[in-house]
């Protein structure tokens, strides 16, 4: 009985030692990867900022495109709520119109792709 208990304790202690070594190796490998990997956070990428600004300014809508423009527009019409509501209505109409045109274009492309896929499938079936 004493022999069984001592074997069980020795197996548990060897298992714990193995886990400690595995954990230590995992920490060493992760540390090595973190220290040797060159990761750029992209904060100094001026090209990215310019590309984003081009995308924002791409459409010709008269509505504000950024939060700063929206606040500026709100300050300009601060004294007259009726004019502000009228501008909001016009801007919302432009936004829905822009969204609708994008939706129509996407639907046309999808329908075209589905038609092309159906034509190709029909050709494959006939062959």
């Amino acid at each position: 009985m004493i022999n069984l208990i001592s074997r069980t304790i020795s197996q548990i202690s060897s298992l714990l030692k193995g886990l400690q070594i595995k954990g230590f190796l995992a920490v060493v490998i992760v540390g090595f990867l973190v220290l040797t990997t060159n990761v750029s956070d992209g904060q100094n990428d001026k090209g990215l900022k310019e590309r984003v600004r081009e995308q924002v300014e791409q459409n010709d809508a008269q509505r504000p495109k950024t939060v700063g423009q929206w606040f500026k527009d709100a300050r300009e019409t601060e004294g007259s709520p009726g004019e502000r509501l009228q501008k909001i209505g016009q801007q919302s109409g432009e936004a829905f119109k822009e969204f609708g045109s994008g939706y129509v274009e996407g639907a046309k492309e999808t329908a075209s792709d589905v038609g092309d896929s159906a034509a190709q499938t029909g050709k494959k079936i006939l062959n």
Side-chain angles (χ1 to χ4, degrees):
M1 182 74 170
I2 295 176
N3 194 13
L4 178 66
I5 293 173
S6 66
R7 268 193 278 152
T8 305
I9 291 174
S10 66
Q11 286 178 350
I12 290 173
S13 65
S14 66
L15 178 67
L16 290 176
K17 287 180 185 178
L19 290 176
Q20 289 175 354
I21 292 172
K22 289 178 185 175
F24 177 74
L25 287 176
V27 169
V28 168
I29 290 171
V30 169
F32 178 76
L33 289 174
V34 168
L35 292 175
T36 59
T37 304
N38 185 13
V39 178
S40 173
D41 58 1
Q43 290 181 354
N44 296 328
D45 188 9
K46 301 220 185 253
L48 176 63
K49 292 177 184 177
E50 292 169 6
R51 288 192 306 255
V52 168
R53 180 150 317 275
E54 287 174 7
Q55 288 293 326
V56 167
E57 300 294 332
Q58 186 175 10
N59 62 4
D60 296 336
Q62 297 299 318
R63 60 189 174 89
K65 296 173 186 73
T66 63
V67 174
Q69 291 173 350
W70 190 83
F71 281 130
K72 180 184 172 203
D73 192 29
R75 281 191 302 271
E76 289 174 357
T77 58
E78 189 174 5
S80 59
E83 183 182 348
R84 181 71 186 134
L85 286 175
Q86 183 181 6
K87 279 191 170 188
I88 289 173
Q90 290 171 347
Q91 293 166 359
S92 298
E94 287 180 24
F96 282 122
K97 182 179 175 183
E98 185 179 324
F99 173 76
S101 67
Y103 181 78
V104 169
E105 289 174 14
K108 285 180 182 177
E109 289 178 14
T110 302
S112 174
D113 291 345
V114 169
D116 293 342
S117 296
Q120 289 176 356
T121 303
K123 288 179 183 178
K124 287 180 182 178
I125 291 173
L126 291 176
N127 290 333

